[in-house]
Amino acid sequence: QVQLVESGGGLVQAGGSLRLSCAASGRTFSGYTLAWFRQAPGKEREFVAAIRWSGGSTSYADSVKGRFTISRDNAKNTVLLQMNSLKPEDTAVYYCAAGFGILGATERWYEYWGQGTQVTVSA
């Protein structure tokens, strides 16, 4: 059974940094893409960043380019999201997701989802 477990969320002041982790288990993720999405109160869930498990190609939403970095540790089956220069508009629940054979921003392409971790950025 595939499990994606997020951690690392919390409260931070604007301009600060947080690092989110997603521990992936239950299968081999070769050929998969691991991604981060987020959902702010009253808004739809949106794409943040994605990384190919094999090869490491990445994709970012325009709103986080230059501030967020996605990476993976294949040995630990973990995907990281380093978030710098955080803004109040980054406040959201952040979700880890996994999908086979894609590197994209479309939510319905991802078949596995974690429970989410709250990130709150104060002004």
Side-chain angles (χ1 to χ4, degrees), residues 100-121:
F100 182 77
I102 46 88
L103 180 67
T106 303
E107 188 175 332
R108 61 181 173 84
W109 291 347
Y110 292 87
E111 57 187 301
Y112 302 112
W113 291 84
Q115 293 300 307
T117 185
Q118 176 70 47
V119 171
T120 303
V121 184

Side-chain angles (χ1 to χ4, degrees), residues 16-48:
S17 299
L18 280 175
R19 189 175 75 167
L20 304 184
S21 293
C22 172
S25 62
R27 67 160 301 123
T28 300
F29 288 94
S30 176
Y32 272 72
T33 292
L34 278 290
W36 289 95
F37 286 76
R38 67 186 182 186
Q39 187 168 21
K43 295 187 176 181
E44 293 187 353
R45 190 153 54 184
E46 64 175 5
F47 172 77
V48 176

Side-chain angles (χ1 to χ4, degrees), residues 4-6 22-23 34-37 79 94-98 112-114 116:
L4 303 174
V5 180
E6 304 95 335
C22 172
L34 278 290
W36 289 95
F37 286 76
V79 175
Y94 283 71
Y95 296 91
C96 181
Y112 302 112
W113 291 84

Side-chain angles (χ1 to χ4, degrees), residues 8-88:
L11 173 64
V12 64
Q13 289 187 330
S17 299
L18 280 175
R19 189 175 75 167
L20 304 184
S21 293
C22 172
S25 62
R27 67 160 301 123
T28 300
F29 288 94
S30 176
Y32 272 72
T33 292
L34 278 290
W36 289 95
F37 286 76
R38 67 186 182 186
Q39 187 168 21
K43 295 187 176 181
E44 293 187 353
R45 190 153 54 184
E46 64 175 5
F47 172 77
V48 176
I51 186 166
R52 290 281 289 160
W53 195 259
S54 303
S57 298
T58 59
S59 177
Y60 294 92
D62 287 343
S63 59
V64 306
K65 279 181 183 177
R67 300 189 299 123
F68 290 12
T69 302
I70 189 170
S71 61
R72 85 262 191 252
D73 184 335
N74 288 24
K76 295 182 178 180
N77 261 25
T78 299
V79 175
L80 304 173
L81 185 68
Q82 178 67 43
M83 306 186 295
N84 298 327
S85 302
L86 282 161
K87 306 175 182 179

